[in-house]
């Protein structure tokens, strides 16, 4: 019986018997959530692929060291990850981040300022092939080592990488379409299950894949998309769309180059300036296409942030055009007619750039006014101060002055230039009135009623001058006249409010003075107002007005000294009346006093 028990215990403790019956655990990775978190935290929120690639490299280094799966300290000895090696989920992370590193390196080359050249494009496609290789290995290992959801996400990731490679190679659009549709189908199914965050990520991924699918359909001729619709698709954001945007920008630049061949002149205020440089034509044409977005009928539907981004692109295009024009000026030689045309074109482009700068600053003023008028319900939202609007109007005044000087710098001015200069002077008056209004508002917030009242009156006077000048100009200015009338009425109402508040504060000041005089006593003891802790039974504020900078009288500080009891003082009064006994008999007698003269000399 004892032997049987001993044999059964040995069978239980035998490792071979337990390993044969144990089922290998399935690993689980939320691939999309893991990658999205890493991308947003390490550069791709702002499109910085270099930073993300460096993060992937550092992450791989940490994973290799933690797994003790290094490739040798001296001579490099490659170690491949196979199905037998995958004993931890971190091995799958190694393959995933290797694919992400290759992909981010390819995207980094794609985002070069002037685009990749021939050799860089070969390297870019090679990195995308490497990313496809790692993604395929990741999908194969997840099929056997991971659960079903992870395996599905790995297949979608592999399909996306294959589609991106074909997308960049400009070939096999039907195969690329098949891969993108396969990835979209997987993410649509995964978006129906799981927690809410994962569902949102899957839906975002489906929306990011949709433009690439529509572009592939457009390339194989199964879609009736126009170029404008493709541009609207390109307004979406996301790392998965960056390759699509680069491809779209390349296609649009080719279309602009073909369209710029027919553009020979630049029209501005009655002048016609010839454009001989093809690069200048393309830059100006790009800026004019972007201007249609902010001046078109659908401009009101575009948010302020997107309009600011469009303005930045317009500025970049016009600055490029000015760079090409000045390069042509440097190589023009001694041909005076060519130099005059180039100088005129540079002046015209600079004037248009100044106009767009004023429009952008007016948009910033509009956004700041909306935040100024709105209550600060959201604690995280920054509230605009009047001083910020004053600064914006200072910029507008400077921009208007520069534009007016630029337009009026020529000798023979055309009627269009004269009317434009008059419009600039009117805008200067309007901007001065608005600036004065917000300076007055800043003084009002500080409690300086007299200064605020005077500045409101000055702002109203400037607005009325601008209104009179605008009414004399020709053109359809009904909207601007109405805005100035509303602004003038607002200045008047604010000046009345400041007047009333000033009278109330002055009356309250007199009451406070009379109350203070009544608190003074003839004996010299000053009667001060009681503190809040001394009048808790009376409903009376101790904080005071918000405009008056005085300390609230809640409790006296520092506290007054208080008398406290201490130990009694003991005085020794008997010391002076005590007669002490004589102690002369105990004192040593001086022998020198008893000796004679000789003893005193020799001791």
């Amino acid at each position: 019986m004892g032997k049987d028990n001993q044999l059964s215990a040995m069978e239980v403790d035998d490792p071979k018997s337990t390993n044969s019956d144990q089922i290998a655990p399935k690993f689980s990775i939320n691939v999309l959530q893991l990658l999205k978190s890493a991308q947003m935290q390490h550069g791709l929120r702002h499109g910085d692929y270099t930073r993300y690639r460096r993060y992937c490299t550092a992450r791989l280094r940490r994973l290799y060291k933690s797994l003790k799966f290094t490739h040798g300290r001296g001579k490099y000895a490659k170690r491949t990850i196979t199905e037998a090696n995958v004993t931890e989920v971190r091995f799958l992370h190694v393959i995933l981040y290797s694919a992400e590193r290759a992909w981010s390196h390819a995207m980094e080359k794609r985002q070069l300022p002037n685009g990749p050249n021939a050799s860089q494009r070969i390297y870019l496609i090679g990195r995308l092939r490497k990313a496809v290789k790692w993604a395929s290995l990741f999908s194969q290992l997840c099929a056997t080592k991971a659960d079903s959801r992870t395996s599905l996400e790995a297949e979608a990731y592999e399909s996306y990488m294959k589609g991106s490679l074909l997308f960049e190679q400009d070939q096999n659009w039907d195969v690329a379409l098949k891969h993108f549709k396969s990835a979209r189908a997987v993410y649509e199914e995964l978006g129906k299950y799981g927690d809410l965050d994962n569902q949102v990520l899957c839906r975002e991924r489906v929306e990011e894949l949709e433009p690439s699918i529509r572009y592939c359909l457009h390339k194989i001729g199964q879609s009736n998309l126009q170029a404008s619709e493709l541009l609207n698709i390109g307004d979406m954001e996301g790392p998965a769309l960056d390759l699509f945007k680069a491809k779209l920008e390349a296609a649009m630049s080719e279309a602009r180059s073909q369209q710029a061949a027919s553009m020979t002149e630049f029209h501005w205020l009655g002048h016609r300036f010839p454009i001989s440089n093809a690069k200048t034509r393309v830059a100006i044409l790009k800026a004019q296409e972007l201007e249609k977005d902010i001046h078109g009928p659908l401009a009101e539907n575009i948010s302020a942030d997107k309009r600011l981004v469009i303005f930045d692109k317009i500025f970049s295009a016009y600055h490029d055009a000015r760079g090409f024009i000045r390069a042509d000026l440097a190589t023009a030689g001694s041909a005076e007619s060519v130099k005059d045309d180039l100088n005129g074109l540079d002046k015209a482009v600079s004037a248009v750039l100044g106009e767009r700068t004023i429009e952008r600053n007016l948009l910033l003023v509009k956004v700041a006014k909306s935040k100024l008028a709105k209550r600060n319900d959201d604690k995280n939202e920054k509230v605009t101060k009047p001083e910020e609007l004053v600064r914006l109007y200072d910029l507008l005044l400077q921009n208007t002055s520069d534009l007016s000087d630029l337009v009026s710098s020529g000798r023979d001015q055309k009627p269009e230039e004269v009317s434009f200069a008059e419009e600039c002077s009117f805008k200067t008056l309007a901007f001065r009135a608005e600036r004065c209004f917000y300076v007055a508002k800043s003084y009002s917030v500080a409690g300086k009623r007299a200064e605020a009242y005077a500045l409101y009156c000055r702002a109203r006077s400037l607005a009325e001058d601008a209104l009179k000048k605008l009414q004399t100009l020709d053109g359809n200015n009904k909207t601007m006249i109405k805005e100035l009338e509303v602004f003038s009425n607002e200045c008047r109402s604010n000046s009345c409010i400041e007047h009333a508040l000033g009278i109330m504060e002055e009356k309250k000041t007199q009451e406070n003075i009379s109350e203070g005089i009544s608190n003074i006593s003839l004996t010299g003891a000053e009667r001060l107002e009681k503190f809040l802790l001394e009048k808790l039974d009376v409903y009376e504020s101790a904080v005071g007005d918000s405009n008056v900078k005085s300390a609230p009288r809640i409790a006296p500080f520092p506290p007054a000294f208080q008398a406290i009891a201490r130990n009694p003082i003991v005085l020794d009064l008997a010391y002076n009346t005590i007669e002490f006994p004589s102690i002369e008999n105990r004192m040593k007698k001086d022998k020198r006093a008893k000796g004679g003269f000789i003893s005193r000399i020799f001791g």
Side-chain angles (χ1 to χ4, degrees):
M1 190 71 180
K3 291 181 179 180
D4 294 335
N5 291 336
Q6 188 175 0
L7 288 172
S8 61
M10 290 175 65
E11 289 175 357
V12 169
D13 295 336
D14 188 8
K16 295 181 180 180
S17 62
T18 56
N19 288 336
S20 60
D21 297 335
Q22 186 179 1
I23 300 175
K26 295 286 186 179
F27 302 119
S28 178
I29 304 174
N30 197 332
V31 179
L32 185 59
Q33 190 171 2
L34 177 66
L35 294 182
K36 200 74 173 180
S37 176
Q39 290 172 358
M40 292 297 104
Q41 291 179 11
H42 298 92
L44 292 200
R45 186 184 298 274
H46 309 289
D48 190 355
Y49 285 95
T50 304
R51 180 184 168 193
Y52 183 60
R53 176 177 61 83
R54 290 172 180 170
Y55 163 74
C56 292
T57 303
R59 177 70 176 154
L60 284 171
R61 187 183 300 115
R62 291 194 297 269
L63 285 169
Y64 279 126
K65 285 186 178 180
S66 63
L67 290 170
K68 297 180 180 179
F69 198 75
T70 55
H71 302 283
R73 180 170 296 180
K75 184 178 179 182
Y76 178 81
K78 184 178 179 180
R79 299 179 65 183
T80 57
I81 298 178
T82 60
E83 184 179 344
N85 292 337
V86 181
T87 57
E88 294 186 36
V89 71
R90 288 180 292 175
F91 283 100
L92 298 178
H93 284 186
V94 167
I95 303 171
L96 181 60
Y97 280 107
S98 298
E100 283 290 292
R101 180 175 63 176
W103 171 78
S104 59
H105 202 174
M107 297 302 296
E108 180 185 350
K109 295 296 181 183
R110 163 53 71 187
Q111 285 195 329
L112 290 173
N114 296 324
N117 53 30
S119 61
Q120 290 170 343
R121 179 171 170 76
I122 293 173
Y123 184 78
L124 185 155
I125 293 176
R127 296 308 296 170
L128 280 178
R129 285 199 181 99
K130 183 69 73 173
V132 170
K133 176 184 175 183
W134 285 112
S136 300
L137 179 60
F138 180 69
S139 177
Q140 293 173 9
L141 293 178
C142 286
T144 56
K145 291 291 185 178
D147 55 10
S148 58
R149 181 184 178 87
T150 305
S151 178
L152 276 175
E153 286 199 63
E155 291 177 7
Y157 183 73
E158 180 189 8
S159 299
Y160 168 71
M161 284 297 178
K162 289 181 177 179
S164 298
L165 175 61
L166 296 173
F167 197 90
E168 179 61 31
Q169 288 177 333
D170 286 337
Q171 61 184 9
N172 297 330
W173 292 103
D174 50 348
V175 182
L177 177 64
K178 179 181 177 182
H179 287 306
F180 283 134
K181 283 186 175 181
S182 175
R184 183 183 65 178
V186 172
Y187 286 120
E188 283 177 350
E189 289 298 321
L190 293 176
K192 300 176 183 178
Y193 309 102
D195 56 356
L196 183 60
D197 294 338
N198 189 70
Q199 292 179 17
V200 171
L201 286 176
C202 290
R203 290 169 191 165
E204 289 178 356
R205 194 66 165 182
V206 169
E207 292 176 359
E208 290 175 3
L209 289 170
E210 192 66 30
S212 300
I213 293 173
R214 297 180 68 181
Y215 189 80
C216 291
L217 289 171
H218 174 70
K219 294 297 288 186
I220 62 179
Q222 296 183 9
S223 175
N224 296 323
L225 281 176
Q226 302 297 325
S228 59
E229 296 178 0
L230 287 174
L231 287 174
N232 294 332
I233 296 173
D235 292 336
M236 299 172 63
E237 299 293 335
L241 286 168
D242 288 340
L243 194 62
F244 166 75
K245 289 181 179 179
K247 186 66 65 177
L248 183 60
E249 183 62 30
M252 293 304 297
S253 62
E254 292 178 2
R256 288 193 198 102
S257 300
Q258 296 174 0
Q259 189 178 356
S262 61
M263 182 181 180
T264 58
E265 293 179 341
F266 183 74
H267 301 271
W268 175 75
L269 293 183
H271 295 279
R272 292 186 176 183
F273 302 103
I275 308 174
S276 57
N277 192 341
K279 293 181 179 179
T280 308
R281 294 175 189 170
V282 172
I284 293 176
L285 189 63
K286 180 180 179 181
Q288 289 177 350
E289 287 179 357
L290 291 168
E291 286 173 354
K292 293 178 183 178
D293 295 336
I294 57 176
H295 295 150
L298 301 177
E300 296 297 329
N301 299 330
I302 302 175
S303 63
D305 294 335
K306 287 187 177 180
R307 293 179 72 181
L308 289 173
V309 172
I310 294 174
F311 272 117
D312 292 338
K313 293 179 180 178
I314 292 173
F315 295 156
S316 177
Y318 276 127
H319 281 302
D320 291 342
R322 290 184 66 190
F324 296 139
I325 293 169
R326 293 182 178 181
D328 293 340
L329 270 172
T331 58
S334 60
E336 293 296 331
S337 60
V338 176
K339 283 187 175 180
D340 291 341
D341 291 338
L342 289 173
N343 283 322
L345 182 60
D346 185 30
K347 175 183 174 181
V349 171
S350 301
V352 175
L353 185 60
E355 291 183 70
R356 301 298 167 260
T357 305
I358 292 174
E359 291 177 5
R360 177 184 178 274
N361 289 337
L362 284 173
L363 178 60
L364 292 175
V365 166
K366 183 179 178 181
V367 174
K369 284 182 179 179
S370 65
K371 292 182 180 180
L372 181 69
K374 189 167 52 176
R375 290 186 178 180
N376 190 16
D377 296 332
D378 189 4
K379 294 182 179 179
N380 296 325
E381 186 177 3
K382 184 180 179 181
V383 180
T384 304
K385 296 181 181 179
E387 291 82 359
E388 298 178 17
L389 281 161
V390 172
R391 182 183 60 81
L392 288 174
Y393 278 110
D394 284 333
L395 290 175
L396 283 168
L397 286 170
Q398 184 63 42
N399 295 333
T400 310
S401 176
D402 295 341
L403 185 59
S404 178
D405 294 341
L406 182 65
V407 172
S408 59
S409 61
R411 294 180 181 177
D412 299 329
Q413 293 187 3
K414 291 194 173 185
E416 291 87 351
E417 294 179 343
V418 175
S419 61
F420 188 83
E422 291 179 354
E423 186 180 352
C424 286
S425 63
F426 150 70
K427 287 182 179 180
T428 301
L429 275 177
F431 293 154
R432 284 178 62 195
E434 293 268 3
R435 181 187 180 279
C436 189
F437 177 84
Y438 286 103
V439 172
K441 192 172 282 292
S442 64
Y443 274 103
S444 175
V445 171
K448 298 180 179 181
R449 305 298 173 194
E451 292 85 348
Y453 173 77
L455 288 169
Y456 278 130
C457 293
R458 176 60 178 165
R460 185 188 176 191
S461 175
L462 290 171
E464 290 177 351
D465 291 343
L467 190 59
K468 291 177 182 177
K469 192 169 183 178
L470 182 62
Q471 290 173 350
T472 59
L473 294 176
D474 297 331
N476 188 11
N477 299 321
K478 293 182 179 179
T479 305
M480 302 179 72
I481 290 174
K482 187 176 180 181
E483 290 178 356
L484 275 176
E485 289 176 350
V486 172
F487 176 71
S488 179
N489 293 330
E490 189 176 358
C491 292
R492 183 178 180 277
S493 62
N494 278 278
S495 63
C496 294
I497 291 171
E498 293 299 322
H499 192 187
L501 289 173
I503 293 173
M504 291 172 60
E505 290 180 0
E506 185 178 359
K507 186 176 180 182
K508 191 171 183 180
T509 303
Q510 293 176 357
E511 293 177 356
N512 292 336
I513 291 174
S514 61
E515 185 179 355
I517 292 173
S518 64
N519 289 334
I520 299 175
S521 62
L522 297 176
T523 58
E526 187 177 355
R527 292 172 55 196
L528 295 175
E529 185 183 354
K530 292 183 178 180
F531 290 97
L532 178 64
L533 294 179
E534 298 174 357
K535 51 181 182 181
L536 294 176
D537 54 342
V538 180
Y539 186 76
E540 183 178 348
S541 176
V543 177
D545 296 333
S546 59
N547 296 328
V548 181
K549 295 182 179 180
S550 59
R553 296 180 61 80
I554 299 175
F557 187 83
F561 289 103
Q562 295 180 0
I564 59 173
R566 67 172 304 253
N567 295 331
I569 300 174
V570 179
L571 301 176
D572 193 359
L573 301 177
Y575 180 78
N576 295 329
T577 59
I578 296 175
E579 294 182 359
F580 294 98
S582 177
I583 56 173
E584 291 181 356
N585 57 348
R586 296 184 181 180
M587 296 174 63
K588 293 182 179 180
K589 294 181 179 181
D590 192 1
K591 296 181 180 180
R592 296 177 185 178
K594 295 181 179 180
F597 177 75
I598 301 300
S599 62
R600 286 198 301 270
I601 292 176
F602 295 101

